[in-house]
Amino acid sequence: MTMHDDMLLLGTLGTAQHPMGPDAGEVELHAPTADLDGDGLLDTRTYATGGTLYVASDLDEDGFADHITAVEGEGGFESWQAHRGADGEVRWARTDRGSL
Ligand SMILES: [Ca+2]
């Protein structure tokens, strides 16, 4: 992970100004390191910022994350899925939450 990628994510997530949520907006995914769906293409990477670990996946390979799971230091997690609305804006819907 490079500092540059960290700064890109910090610009969109994990700060008080931009918490993960319905209006988090598009999240660019650079240099994925894992193949989550097993199709042979790298689609997923993790980021740690502000005490939270984010697992971000770009399953349709458009360069933007489609799924994000955020795991907090206390073990709580939330999973989110991106949807593009008729207005072209990306919004995130929480699909799961719980505790590890
Ligand atoms: Ca995508």
Side-chain angles (χ1 to χ4, degrees):
M1 181 184 302
T2 69
M3 183 62 69
H4 181 63
D5 285 345
D6 285 347
M7 292 308 292
L8 284 174
L9 189 78
L10 283 168
T12 55
L13 282 179
T15 68
Q17 291 76 30
H18 298 278
M20 189 62 216
D23 298 321
E26 292 190 294
V27 176
E28 289 188 66
L29 187 66
H30 298 272
T33 59
D35 175 17
L36 199 69
D37 59 5
D39 65 358
L41 296 171
L42 297 176
D43 50 44
T44 297
R45 65 176 294 175
T46 59
Y47 303 85
T49 180
T52 300
L53 176 69
Y54 295 93
V55 182
S57 299
D58 173 22
L59 298 180
D60 59 6
E61 284 103 28
D62 67 352
F64 294 93
D66 315 304
H67 297 268
I68 292 180
T69 295
V71 182
E72 297 176 352
E74 312 84 61
F77 71 90
E78 294 186 342
S79 294
W80 298 80
Q81 181 158 6
H83 301 274
R84 189 176 297 280
D87 59 2
E89 295 295 313
V90 167
R91 291 193 177 77
W92 292 86
R94 190 169 57 206
T95 57
D96 198 7
R97 69 189 301 185
S99 184
L100 296 178

